[in-house]
Amino acid sequence: RGPRLCGHGRLNPSHLGRFKVLRRDAYDAILADLFEGTTPDVDVLLDAETAFCEDCADRGRREDAAKAAELDRRRALHARLAGIPSHANGAYLVHKPWLNELKKLAPPPSSKKPPPLGARDVDCNAKLVCSHGRRKPRAPAICVDDGLWEDLTALFPRSTVLLRDAVICADCLKGAQERKAGQEERTEEL
């Protein structure tokens, strides 16, 4: 099997783990043993022309740095959100249980499991908004200030904006009260 080449016709650095560097005499000895002295057609001599592609290596380093920077921003955001007291004043609401999801999106550097990247389509308030487009009754939330909300939406731009004075959905509240009354009636019958 021939070497893995990038679009530039050079060795792709992302496949580095699949290669083994050998001294020329060891390489020649292996070929002599495998092919009984004949040179195979698939042999590619690595020289300055076919060495690892610097353009692809640079792109890989930039992508790795961008991923690391995004993870650092997620970790910092989680730390700031987790440190907010329940009685904090702020203009925006964030669904409190979403902090657990954010923690999974920003694991500590020592974690063996790689974080899911490209999670920009996450909505931190998806479970705080009912099907009518208003705030769910009794859904736990924390209040954040303008600066923290801007940082959050920079990382997760699809987050639904819910202001602190958002109206609780009357339809959902009524339905919840009816369900509770029905449960109480069934409990009394038992």
Side-chain angles (χ1 to χ4, degrees):
R1 203 153 118 177
R4 311 231 178 213
L5 303 179
C6 69
H8 305 110
R10 301 178 99 191
L11 290 176
N12 192 334
S14 66
H15 296 291
L16 182 61
R18 298 179 182 168
F19 291 95
K20 177 78 174 164
V21 178
L22 300 173
R23 290 186 328 267
R24 184 65 197 193
D25 61 323
Y27 179 75
D28 290 339
I30 290 171
L31 286 182
D33 287 345
L34 288 175
F35 298 100
E36 299 175 0
T38 62
T39 306
D41 301 4
V42 296
D43 188 25
V44 175
L45 180 63
L46 296 180
D47 56 16
E49 297 296 319
T50 58
F52 287 102
C53 182
E54 283 299 317
D55 294 335
C56 291
D58 288 342
R59 186 184 73 235
R61 283 190 287 274
R62 284 190 306 273
E63 288 172 358
D64 290 346
K67 288 176 186 177
E70 181 167 340
L71 283 176
D72 287 343
R73 287 195 314 271
R74 288 181 188 178
R75 287 184 195 109
L77 178 66
H78 181 267
R80 288 172 62 197
L81 287 169
I84 294 177
S86 58
H87 60 278
N89 289 329
Y92 298 93
L93 294 176
V94 174
H95 191 227
K96 192 169 184 174
W98 181 76
L99 294 180
N100 293 330
E101 292 178 40
L102 177 59
K103 192 171 186 176
K104 292 175 188 171
L105 294 173
S110 60
S111 175
K112 303 251 189 252
K113 184 178 178 185
L117 291 172
R120 297 184 63 78
D121 59 342
V122 172
D123 180 355
C124 69
N125 285 332
K127 295 180 181 174
L128 192 58
V129 179
C130 71
S131 59
H132 306 107
R134 293 181 290 260
R135 183 177 173 192
K136 286 183 181 178
R138 293 188 284 279
I142 56 174
C143 295
V144 299
D145 61 25
D146 294 345
L148 190 50
W149 180 254
E150 286 177 20
D151 292 346
L152 189 147
T153 55
L155 286 173
F156 305 103
R158 294 190 178 213
S159 293
T160 303
V161 177
L162 269 180
L163 298 176
R164 180 184 183 136
D165 58 354
V167 177
I168 292 177
C169 182
D171 296 334
C172 292
L173 183 60
K174 182 180 176 186
Q177 289 170 341
E178 289 172 356
R179 283 191 300 277
K180 185 176 179 181
Q183 287 174 347
E184 288 173 358
E185 286 177 14
R186 283 191 296 275
T187 304
E188 288 175 6
E189 289 176 0
L190 295 176

